[in-house]
Amino acid sequence: MAPPRTFEHRHITVPKTARYAVMGSFDATLSEVWIVCHGHGQLAARFLSRFAPLEREDRLFVAPEALSRYYLTAPNTVHRPDSPVGATWMTREDREAEIEDQIRYLDLVYEEVFERVDRAAVRLWALGFSQGVATVTRWLARGKVSADRVVLWAGMIPPELDETGGRALSARGPVTIVVGSSDEFATPKVVAAQEARLRDLGVAYKTMSFEGGHDLSDSALLEIAAGDA
């Protein structure tokens, strides 16, 4: 039997059009900007609609959309014009390149937003939900941003996070960990393991829970925002 072929992988950086959704006005007198990263299989505008309970004239919400989209129907299904579409931040394939792409992308979104908004005049929130937790964590650890408030909702911090990255997470205050009482993914065992990792990394955090599953909660969002007022 002939030995298996080996192939060399090479990389090339190409221009790509990315999109993000915005709720609020750049022209308002702003006190807060929220940059929020959706979970696996979601799209930016749909995700951003979940923040409607926090809508206020002095708040601007920005939801970057992950760079890879796909049909949510089964692989062997014929895709109709109305087949639902979602997006994913990354897979295990070519992992490091995808991580670098998403960090550069979020840095560019940040720069574009704060070309129009006075960063010194606002409190910046960074929130990740589900798969977006690892995305936001990597961005804060390795990107150009420093957030005033960090919310990690129903997701896993990335395995490569080190003490330096951990310090960046809680540089301006404790990280808020949010989990639903009946979340089938963020189980009590998973949450306890995440808390232990944060303690080992020296990350200040607080955990809050709400009645519900793997989803955002209007009441929990309002509580988080009100608790910081």
Short mmCIF file of all heavy atoms in Angstrom, two decimals, residues 30-75:
data_model
loop_
_atom_site.label_atom_id
_atom_site.label_comp_id
_atom_site.label_asym_id
_atom_site.label_seq_id
_atom_site.Cartn_x
_atom_site.Cartn_y
_atom_site.Cartn_z
N LEU A 30 -23.84 60.00 24.00
CA LEU A 30 -23.74 58.64 24.51
C LEU A 30 -23.01 58.57 25.84
O LEU A 30 -22.04 59.31 26.07
CB LEU A 30 -23.02 57.76 23.49
CG LEU A 30 -23.69 57.60 22.13
CD1 LEU A 30 -22.77 56.87 21.15
CD2 LEU A 30 -25.01 56.84 22.27
N SER A 31 -23.45 57.66 26.69
CA SER A 31 -22.73 57.36 27.92
C SER A 31 -22.21 55.93 27.94
O SER A 31 -21.32 55.60 28.72
CB SER A 31 -23.62 57.59 29.14
OG SER A 31 -24.69 56.65 29.18
N GLU A 32 -22.79 55.07 27.06
CA GLU A 32 -22.39 53.66 27.02
C GLU A 32 -22.35 53.16 25.58
O GLU A 32 -23.20 53.52 24.76
CB GLU A 32 -23.36 52.78 27.81
CG GLU A 32 -23.39 53.05 29.29
CD GLU A 32 -24.38 52.14 30.02
OE1 GLU A 32 -24.99 51.25 29.38
OE2 GLU A 32 -24.54 52.31 31.24
N VAL A 33 -21.37 52.31 25.30
CA VAL A 33 -21.33 51.54 24.07
C VAL A 33 -21.21 50.08 24.46
O VAL A 33 -20.36 49.70 25.28
CB VAL A 33 -20.14 51.95 23.17
CG1 VAL A 33 -20.02 51.00 21.98
CG2 VAL A 33 -20.30 53.39 22.68
N TRP A 34 -22.08 49.25 23.89
CA TRP A 34 -22.06 47.80 24.12
C TRP A 34 -21.62 47.12 22.84
O TRP A 34 -22.27 47.27 21.79
CB TRP A 34 -23.45 47.29 24.50
CG TRP A 34 -23.97 47.73 25.84
CD1 TRP A 34 -24.19 49.00 26.26
CD2 TRP A 34 -24.36 46.88 26.92
NE1 TRP A 34 -24.69 49.01 27.54
CE2 TRP A 34 -24.80 47.72 27.97
CE3 TRP A 34 -24.38 45.49 27.10
CZ2 TRP A 34 -25.26 47.21 29.19
CZ3 TRP A 34 -24.84 44.98 28.31
CH2 TRP A 34 -25.27 45.84 29.34
N ILE A 35 -20.53 46.37 22.89
CA ILE A 35 -20.13 45.52 21.77
C ILE A 35 -20.43 44.09 22.19
O ILE A 35 -19.89 43.59 23.18
CB ILE A 35 -18.65 45.71 21.41
CG1 ILE A 35 -18.42 47.16 20.94
CG2 ILE A 35 -18.22 44.72 20.33
CD1 ILE A 35 -16.98 47.47 20.54
N VAL A 36 -21.32 43.43 21.45
CA VAL A 36 -21.87 42.15 21.88
C VAL A 36 -21.64 41.11 20.78
O VAL A 36 -21.91 41.36 19.59
CB VAL A 36 -23.37 42.27 22.22
CG1 VAL A 36 -23.55 43.23 23.40
CG2 VAL A 36 -24.21 42.75 21.05
N CYS A 37 -21.14 39.94 21.17
CA CYS A 37 -20.82 38.88 20.22
C CYS A 37 -21.77 37.70 20.39
O CYS A 37 -21.89 37.14 21.49
CB CYS A 37 -19.38 38.43 20.40
SG CYS A 37 -18.18 39.66 19.84
N HIS A 38 -22.42 37.33 19.31
CA HIS A 38 -23.47 36.30 19.31
C HIS A 38 -22.89 34.90 19.47
O HIS A 38 -21.66 34.68 19.43
CB HIS A 38 -24.29 36.39 18.03
CG HIS A 38 -23.48 36.14 16.78
ND1 HIS A 38 -23.09 34.88 16.39
CD2 HIS A 38 -23.00 36.99 15.83
CE1 HIS A 38 -22.43 34.96 15.25
NE2 HIS A 38 -22.35 36.23 14.89
N GLY A 39 -23.78 33.94 19.60
CA GLY A 39 -23.40 32.54 19.71
C GLY A 39 -23.39 31.84 18.37
O GLY A 39 -23.73 32.41 17.33
N HIS A 40 -23.03 30.56 18.41
CA HIS A 40 -22.97 29.72 17.22
C HIS A 40 -24.35 29.62 16.56
O HIS A 40 -25.36 29.38 17.23
CB HIS A 40 -22.49 28.33 17.62
CG HIS A 40 -22.42 27.36 16.49
ND1 HIS A 40 -21.39 27.36 15.56
CD2 HIS A 40 -23.25 26.35 16.13
CE1 HIS A 40 -21.61 26.40 14.69
NE2 HIS A 40 -22.72 25.77 15.00
N GLY A 41 -24.38 29.84 15.25
CA GLY A 41 -25.62 29.69 14.50
C GLY A 41 -26.54 30.89 14.54
O GLY A 41 -27.66 30.82 14.01
N GLN A 42 -26.09 31.99 15.12
CA GLN A 42 -26.92 33.19 15.17
C GLN A 42 -26.43 34.21 14.15
O GLN A 42 -25.35 34.06 13.57
CB GLN A 42 -26.89 33.79 16.58
CG GLN A 42 -27.44 32.86 17.65
CD GLN A 42 -27.39 33.47 19.05
OE1 GLN A 42 -26.38 34.03 19.45
NE2 GLN A 42 -28.48 33.33 19.79
N LEU A 43 -27.21 35.24 13.92
CA LEU A 43 -26.82 36.37 13.09
C LEU A 43 -26.89 37.64 13.92
O LEU A 43 -27.62 37.71 14.92
CB LEU A 43 -27.74 36.48 11.87
CG LEU A 43 -27.64 35.35 10.84
CD1 LEU A 43 -28.66 35.58 9.72
CD2 LEU A 43 -26.24 35.22 10.26
N ALA A 44 -26.14 38.65 13.49
CA ALA A 44 -25.96 39.83 14.32
C ALA A 44 -27.26 40.56 14.63
O ALA A 44 -27.54 40.91 15.78
CB ALA A 44 -24.98 40.78 13.64
N ALA A 45 -28.08 40.83 13.62
CA ALA A 45 -29.28 41.64 13.84
C ALA A 45 -30.27 40.92 14.75
O ALA A 45 -30.87 41.53 15.64
CB ALA A 45 -29.93 42.00 12.51
N ARG A 46 -30.44 39.61 14.53
CA ARG A 46 -31.35 38.85 15.39
C ARG A 46 -30.87 38.85 16.82
O ARG A 46 -31.65 38.99 17.77
CB ARG A 46 -31.47 37.41 14.89
CG ARG A 46 -32.09 37.26 13.51
CD ARG A 46 -32.11 35.79 13.11
NE ARG A 46 -32.23 35.64 11.67
CZ ARG A 46 -31.94 34.52 11.02
NH1 ARG A 46 -31.50 33.47 11.69
NH2 ARG A 46 -32.07 34.44 9.71
N PHE A 47 -29.57 38.68 16.99
CA PHE A 47 -28.99 38.68 18.33
C PHE A 47 -29.17 40.05 18.98
O PHE A 47 -29.54 40.16 20.15
CB PHE A 47 -27.52 38.31 18.26
CG PHE A 47 -26.83 38.24 19.59
CD1 PHE A 47 -27.20 37.31 20.55
CD2 PHE A 47 -25.78 39.11 19.88
CE1 PHE A 47 -26.55 37.23 21.77
CE2 PHE A 47 -25.12 39.04 21.10
CZ PHE A 47 -25.51 38.09 22.05
N LEU A 48 -28.92 41.09 18.21
CA LEU A 48 -29.01 42.44 18.75
C LEU A 48 -30.43 42.78 19.20
O LEU A 48 -30.62 43.56 20.15
CB LEU A 48 -28.54 43.45 17.70
CG LEU A 48 -28.20 44.85 18.18
CD1 LEU A 48 -27.16 44.82 19.29
CD2 LEU A 48 -27.71 45.70 17.02
N SER A 49 -31.42 42.18 18.56
CA SER A 49 -32.81 42.46 18.95
C SER A 49 -33.09 42.04 20.39
O SER A 49 -34.01 42.57 21.02
CB SER A 49 -33.78 41.75 17.99
OG SER A 49 -33.74 40.34 18.17
N ARG A 50 -32.30 41.11 20.93
CA ARG A 50 -32.49 40.66 22.29
C ARG A 50 -32.10 41.72 23.31
O ARG A 50 -32.40 41.59 24.51
CB ARG A 50 -31.70 39.37 22.55
CG ARG A 50 -32.11 38.20 21.67
CD ARG A 50 -33.60 37.87 21.84
NE ARG A 50 -33.96 37.68 23.24
CZ ARG A 50 -33.81 36.55 23.92
NH1 ARG A 50 -33.32 35.50 23.31
NH2 ARG A 50 -34.16 36.48 25.18
N PHE A 51 -31.42 42.77 22.87
CA PHE A 51 -31.00 43.83 23.77
C PHE A 51 -31.98 45.00 23.78
O PHE A 51 -31.70 46.03 24.40
CB PHE A 51 -29.59 44.31 23.40
CG PHE A 51 -28.53 43.27 23.65
CD1 PHE A 51 -28.28 42.29 22.70
CD2 PHE A 51 -27.82 43.26 24.84
CE1 PHE A 51 -27.32 41.31 22.94
CE2 PHE A 51 -26.87 42.27 25.08
CZ PHE A 51 -26.62 41.30 24.14
N ALA A 52 -33.12 44.82 23.13
CA ALA A 52 -34.13 45.88 23.10
C ALA A 52 -34.55 46.35 24.50
O ALA A 52 -34.82 47.55 24.68
CB ALA A 52 -35.34 45.42 22.30
N PRO A 53 -34.63 45.46 25.52
CA PRO A 53 -35.00 45.95 26.86
C PRO A 53 -34.03 46.98 27.43
O PRO A 53 -34.39 47.74 28.33
CB PRO A 53 -35.00 44.67 27.71
CG PRO A 53 -35.27 43.57 26.74
CD PRO A 53 -34.57 43.98 25.49
N LEU A 54 -32.79 47.00 26.92
CA LEU A 54 -31.80 47.96 27.42
C LEU A 54 -31.73 49.23 26.58
O LEU A 54 -30.95 50.13 26.90
CB LEU A 54 -30.41 47.31 27.45
CG LEU A 54 -30.21 46.08 28.33
CD1 LEU A 54 -28.75 45.65 28.30
CD2 LEU A 54 -30.64 46.36 29.76
N GLU A 55 -32.54 49.29 25.53
CA GLU A 55 -32.46 50.42 24.60
C GLU A 55 -32.72 51.73 25.33
O GLU A 55 -33.67 51.87 26.10
CB GLU A 55 -33.46 50.23 23.46
CG GLU A 55 -33.22 51.15 22.29
CD GLU A 55 -34.08 50.77 21.11
OE1 GLU A 55 -34.98 49.91 21.25
OE2 GLU A 55 -33.87 51.36 20.03
N ARG A 56 -31.82 52.69 25.07
CA ARG A 56 -31.91 54.00 25.72
C ARG A 56 -31.18 54.99 24.82
O ARG A 56 -30.24 54.61 24.11
CB ARG A 56 -31.25 53.93 27.10
CG ARG A 56 -31.81 54.86 28.14
CD ARG A 56 -31.27 54.52 29.53
NE ARG A 56 -29.83 54.75 29.65
CZ ARG A 56 -29.11 54.47 30.73
NH1 ARG A 56 -29.69 53.93 31.80
NH2 ARG A 56 -27.81 54.70 30.77
N GLU A 57 -31.56 56.24 24.85
CA GLU A 57 -30.98 57.21 23.92
C GLU A 57 -29.48 57.34 24.08
O GLU A 57 -28.77 57.63 23.11
CB GLU A 57 -31.64 58.59 24.11
CG GLU A 57 -33.05 58.67 23.55
CD GLU A 57 -33.61 60.08 23.60
OE1 GLU A 57 -32.86 61.00 24.00
OE2 GLU A 57 -34.78 60.27 23.22
N ASP A 58 -28.97 57.14 25.28
CA ASP A 58 -27.54 57.34 25.51
C ASP A 58 -26.74 56.04 25.40
O ASP A 58 -25.57 56.00 25.76
CB ASP A 58 -27.30 57.96 26.89
CG ASP A 58 -27.76 57.07 28.04
OD1 ASP A 58 -28.69 56.27 27.83
OD2 ASP A 58 -27.18 57.17 29.14
N ARG A 59 -27.36 54.99 24.85
CA ARG A 59 -26.67 53.72 24.67
C ARG A 59 -26.58 53.37 23.18
O ARG A 59 -27.56 53.48 22.46
CB ARG A 59 -27.39 52.58 25.40
CG ARG A 59 -27.21 52.60 26.90
CD ARG A 59 -27.97 51.47 27.55
NE ARG A 59 -27.73 51.39 28.99
CZ ARG A 59 -28.62 50.97 29.88
NH1 ARG A 59 -29.82 50.57 29.47
NH2 ARG A 59 -28.30 50.95 31.16
N LEU A 60 -25.42 52.90 22.77
CA LEU A 60 -25.21 52.41 21.42
C LEU A 60 -24.82 50.94 21.52
O LEU A 60 -23.93 50.57 22.28
CB LEU A 60 -24.09 53.20 20.74
CG LEU A 60 -23.73 52.77 19.30
CD1 LEU A 60 -24.86 53.13 18.34
CD2 LEU A 60 -22.42 53.41 18.86
N PHE A 61 -25.51 50.10 20.74
CA PHE A 61 -25.24 48.67 20.74
C PHE A 61 -24.67 48.27 19.38
O PHE A 61 -25.22 48.64 18.34
CB PHE A 61 -26.51 47.87 21.01
CG PHE A 61 -27.10 48.10 22.37
CD1 PHE A 61 -27.95 49.18 22.60
CD2 PHE A 61 -26.78 47.27 23.43
CE1 PHE A 61 -28.49 49.41 23.86
CE2 PHE A 61 -27.31 47.48 24.70
CZ PHE A 61 -28.17 48.56 24.91
N VAL A 62 -23.59 47.52 19.40
CA VAL A 62 -22.92 47.09 18.18
C VAL A 62 -22.72 45.58 18.25
O VAL A 62 -22.14 45.07 19.22
CB VAL A 62 -21.54 47.78 18.02
CG1 VAL A 62 -20.83 47.28 16.78
CG2 VAL A 62 -21.71 49.30 17.98
N ALA A 63 -23.22 44.87 17.24
CA ALA A 63 -23.09 43.41 17.20
C ALA A 63 -22.33 43.00 15.95
O ALA A 63 -22.89 42.98 14.86
CB ALA A 63 -24.47 42.74 17.23
N PRO A 64 -21.05 42.69 16.07
CA PRO A 64 -20.33 42.14 14.91
C PRO A 64 -20.87 40.76 14.57
O PRO A 64 -21.25 40.00 15.46
CB PRO A 64 -18.87 42.03 15.41
CG PRO A 64 -18.81 42.87 16.67
CD PRO A 64 -20.18 42.83 17.25
N GLU A 65 -20.91 40.45 13.29
CA GLU A 65 -21.36 39.13 12.86
C GLU A 65 -20.16 38.28 12.49
O GLU A 65 -19.24 38.74 11.80
CB GLU A 65 -22.30 39.26 11.65
CG GLU A 65 -22.99 37.96 11.27
CD GLU A 65 -24.13 38.23 10.31
OE1 GLU A 65 -25.23 38.61 10.79
OE2 GLU A 65 -23.92 38.09 9.08
N ALA A 66 -20.15 37.03 12.96
CA ALA A 66 -19.05 36.12 12.68
C ALA A 66 -18.81 35.99 11.19
O ALA A 66 -19.73 36.14 10.37
CB ALA A 66 -19.33 34.75 13.30
N LEU A 67 -17.58 35.69 10.81
CA LEU A 67 -17.17 35.78 9.42
C LEU A 67 -17.60 34.60 8.55
O LEU A 67 -17.50 34.67 7.32
CB LEU A 67 -15.64 35.93 9.35
CG LEU A 67 -15.08 37.20 9.99
CD1 LEU A 67 -13.56 37.17 9.99
CD2 LEU A 67 -15.59 38.45 9.29
N SER A 68 -18.06 33.51 9.15
CA SER A 68 -18.45 32.33 8.37
C SER A 68 -19.93 32.04 8.54
O SER A 68 -20.39 31.82 9.67
CB SER A 68 -17.64 31.11 8.81
OG SER A 68 -16.26 31.32 8.58
N ARG A 69 -20.69 32.05 7.45
CA ARG A 69 -22.12 31.76 7.50
C ARG A 69 -22.39 30.39 6.90
O ARG A 69 -21.63 29.91 6.06
CB ARG A 69 -22.93 32.82 6.75
CG ARG A 69 -22.76 34.22 7.32
CD ARG A 69 -23.69 35.21 6.62
NE ARG A 69 -23.33 36.57 6.99
CZ ARG A 69 -22.56 37.36 6.25
NH1 ARG A 69 -22.08 36.93 5.10
NH2 ARG A 69 -22.26 38.58 6.65
N TYR A 70 -23.50 29.80 7.28
CA TYR A 70 -23.87 28.49 6.76
C TYR A 70 -25.37 28.29 6.93
O TYR A 70 -26.03 28.98 7.72
CB TYR A 70 -23.10 27.38 7.50
CG TYR A 70 -23.43 27.29 8.98
CD1 TYR A 70 -24.32 26.34 9.46
CD2 TYR A 70 -22.86 28.17 9.90
CE1 TYR A 70 -24.64 26.26 10.81
CE2 TYR A 70 -23.17 28.10 11.25
CZ TYR A 70 -24.05 27.14 11.69
OH TYR A 70 -24.37 27.08 13.04
N TYR A 71 -25.93 27.34 6.17
CA TYR A 71 -27.34 27.00 6.30
C TYR A 71 -27.54 26.17 7.56
O TYR A 71 -26.78 25.24 7.84
CB TYR A 71 -27.83 26.23 5.08
CG TYR A 71 -27.94 27.07 3.84
CD1 TYR A 71 -27.05 26.90 2.79
CD2 TYR A 71 -28.93 28.04 3.71
CE1 TYR A 71 -27.13 27.67 1.64
CE2 TYR A 71 -29.03 28.82 2.58
CZ TYR A 71 -28.12 28.63 1.54
OH TYR A 71 -28.22 29.41 0.41
N LEU A 72 -28.58 26.48 8.31
CA LEU A 72 -28.85 25.79 9.57
C LEU A 72 -29.57 24.47 9.35
O LEU A 72 -29.68 23.67 10.29
CB LEU A 72 -29.68 26.68 10.49
CG LEU A 72 -29.00 27.98 10.94
CD1 LEU A 72 -29.96 28.82 11.79
CD2 LEU A 72 -27.73 27.70 11.72
N THR A 73 -30.05 24.21 8.15
CA THR A 73 -30.73 22.95 7.88
C THR A 73 -29.71 21.82 7.76
O THR A 73 -28.51 22.06 7.64
CB THR A 73 -31.54 23.05 6.58
OG1 THR A 73 -30.70 23.62 5.56
CG2 THR A 73 -32.75 23.94 6.78
N ALA A 74 -30.18 20.60 7.79
CA ALA A 74 -29.29 19.44 7.75
C ALA A 74 -28.47 19.43 6.45
O ALA A 74 -28.94 19.91 5.41
CB ALA A 74 -30.10 18.16 7.86
N PRO A 75 -27.25 18.88 6.47
CA PRO A 75 -26.38 18.93 5.28
C PRO A 75 -26.99 18.30 4.04
O PRO A 75 -26.70 18.74 2.93
CB PRO A 75 -25.14 18.14 5.74
CG PRO A 75 -25.15 18.23 7.23
CD PRO A 75 -26.60 18.28 7.63
#
